[in-house]
Amino acid sequence: DTGVSQDPRHKITKRGQNVTFRCDPISEHNRLYWYRQTLGQGPEFLTYFQNEAQLEKSRLLSDRFSAERPKGSFSTLEIQRTEQGDSAMYLCASSSWGGSTDTQYFGPGTRLTVL
Amino acid sequence: DQQVKQNSPSLSVQEGRISILNCDYTNSMFDYFLWYKKYPAEGPTFLISISSIKDKNEDGRFTVFLNKSAKHLSLHIVPSQPGDSAVYFCAASATAGGTSYGKLTFGQGTILTVHP
């Protein structure tokens, strides 16, 4: 059983460019989450999917951000017209939700640097 | 509004001794709590969790204690090892009607250093 994988691990881009990140969850996990972490802070929730349905989006997720999970397996997070404030570690997690508890397992993250 | 707080940015402990990491929360809706360990340039690794129906959960060297009335939880690591040196995050989530809301709210983290 492989863990959560994310691609790319690092991305350097210029301000104004679009970037897309991919997350492959643990197989058969029905929930997939995106978080963002900046230096010195804990991860902050962005959005999550249960199967292919996007169930919640944070206020942090501006109109420039969009996430998809078209077939209920992998997910993509796109940031359009990147800004320097988007520089952060983007973390993906997945879980096998089956009731009241929901233990999430994280991938290695994608480090985004916007110049 | 910081709903989960880890007030100690860092903790230094001698190898073999106990490490105690603390976490406070304000949202009374939280009923499931987790601890994660994070090394630089890696994602958080799940360590241990506790449901609000319990006040203690053990897994090997790791024990989590929950005090609901004080809205406080702690992670005990005994004995501490140099490989435990990492950033530790506590996280919380809420359920309603038996269904998890899903999202985790994290504290700011505590840097644990275990000296040989």
Side-chain angles (χ1 to χ4, degrees), chain B:
Chain B
D1 177 26
Q2 191 75 28
Q3 298 186 63
V4 178
K5 294 182 182 180
Q6 295 176 253
N7 292 316
S8 297
S10 63
L11 175 67
S12 183
V13 172
Q14 204 69 28
E15 181 179 7
R17 306 295 290 269
I18 185 171
S19 296
I20 300 176
L21 298 108
N22 294 303
C23 179
D24 297 293
Y25 62 96
T26 58
N27 188 340
S28 57
M29 296 294 291
F30 289 148
D31 55 8
Y32 186 57
F33 304 90
L34 308 90
W35 284 94
Y36 287 86
K37 177 170 75 173
K38 188 179 185 300
Y39 294 117
E42 294 184 12
T45 300
F46 170 70
L47 280 176
I48 191 169
S49 62
I50 187 166
S51 168
S52 60
I53 61 173
K54 296 184 174 182
D55 55 18
K56 177 183 174 181
N57 189 28
E58 286 182 81
D59 184 2
R61 297 186 298 115
F62 302 92
T63 303
V64 55
F65 295 91
L66 176 61
N67 182 333
K68 290 186 290 293
S69 60
K71 293 189 175 68
H72 176 83
L73 64 155
S74 61
L75 175 68
H76 292 210
I77 306 174
V78 183
S80 302
Q81 300 173 353
D84 296 329
S85 298
V87 181
Y88 288 77
F89 292 97
C90 67
S93 68
T95 60
T99 299
S100 168
Y101 278 130
K103 72 177 183 183
L104 295 177
T105 301
F106 282 83
Q108 309 96 306
T110 297
I111 301 170
L112 174 65
T113 304
V114 180
H115 298 282

Side-chain angles (χ1 to χ4, degrees), chain A residues 1-109:
Chain A
D1 182 22
T2 58
V4 178
S5 63
Q6 293 186 245
D7 184 69
R9 293 291 306 275
H10 303 275
K11 179 69 176 178
I12 300 174
T13 191
K14 294 182 178 179
R15 189 173 48 149
Q17 297 293 307
N18 299 342
V19 295
T20 300
F21 309 140
R22 176 180 170 124
C23 172
D24 287 89
I26 294 171
S27 58
E28 298 181 358
H29 274 191
N30 55 359
R31 282 190 169 179
L32 186 147
Y33 303 80
W34 287 99
Y35 292 83
R36 180 172 69 185
Q37 185 177 20
T38 53
L39 199 61
Q41 300 297 316
E44 294 177 294
F45 170 79
L46 293 177
T47 188
Y48 88 98
F49 295 84
Q50 183 164 306
N51 300 311
E52 63 273 12
Q54 189 172 19
L55 296 189
E56 187 176 353
K57 292 169 61 173
S58 164
R59 290 189 305 272
L60 294 175
L61 216 64
S62 76
D63 292 345
R64 297 184 297 106
F65 288 71
S66 63
E68 293 183 345
R69 194 184 184 198
K71 296 182 180 179
S73 56
F74 73 92
S75 175
T76 58
L77 177 69
E78 181 182 17
I79 309 175
Q80 295 182 329
R81 305 180 303 282
T82 53
E83 301 172 356
Q84 289 186 325
D86 298 330
S87 295
M89 174 76 86
Y90 290 83
L91 294 163
C92 176
S94 70
S95 69
S96 179
W97 173 72
S100 60
T101 61
D102 193 24
T103 300
Q104 298 175 28
Y105 297 89
F106 283 81

